[in-house]
Amino acid sequence: MRYAIIGTGHVGQALAKAFARQGIEVAFASRRSPEALTPVAKAIGPTIIPHSLPDALQADVVLLAMPFKAYQEVAQATESWPGKTVIDVTNAYGISSEELGNRPSSVVLAEALPGANLVKAFNHLPAAVLAEDPRANGMRRVLFLSGDEASAIATVATLVTRLGFVPINLGKLAEGGLLVQARGNSWGPLIFQDLFQQAK
């Protein structure tokens, strides 16, 4: 399974640290060149590999950690979406419901990536918290998932577990997934909820 993180800001780097902590190789990309990303990647760990955006998007599982409005540029960077699992880490805070066609932002994003299986995850925690070791005092930090494809949910839940978190499935994007969707100038009720579960 090949992984890629698209977005190298605070959230993208927090995700990269989670991968590095477990020694999992992941492509690391943005609109910047791989050479420009090399110092940041090296500072995080040897399993964080800078790539061009088109090359990174060839991965089996793609984590979108860039600003929400950049989704159209990412969507146009490859035609290889069919069968791919895409993890939506974005938050559409400040974007009106009218701009989204009165749909959840993840639904809008899914429609822009034809053939991809999209799962909302990793977006409800601030970057600084996401970057921390999720295991503490015999507990593991909870991550919420939502998506419309059971197989994609299972794939992401496996990754979440490998990274040391506890996956909690909220259901479909337009149902339980609304609990972690920012809409207009309001946050979903589970965004910023930092919860732990007893480690098994």
Side-chain angles (χ1 to χ4, degrees), residues 83-166:
K84 200 178 296 296
T85 298
V86 174
I87 303 176
D88 177 15
V89 193
T90 69
N91 280 310
Y93 184 81
I95 298 175
S96 70
S97 293
E98 290 74 19
E99 287 182 76
L100 298 174
N102 294 309
R103 295 167 297 168
S105 60
S106 287
V107 172
V108 174
L109 186 51
E111 291 177 355
L113 311 175
N117 297 317
L118 188 136
V119 176
K120 188 77 170 175
F122 295 98
N123 71 296
H124 84 278
L125 295 173
V129 175
L130 191 60
E132 295 174 357
D133 191 329
R135 299 173 185 269
N137 302 316
M139 308 286 280
R140 291 195 296 155
R141 183 170 271 121
V142 165
L143 276 180
F144 299 113
L145 319 179
S146 60
D148 296 338
E149 295 289 337
S151 61
I153 286 281
T155 295
V156 176
T158 297
L159 173 61
V160 165
T161 302
R162 284 186 70 191
L163 294 177
F165 297 87
V166 176

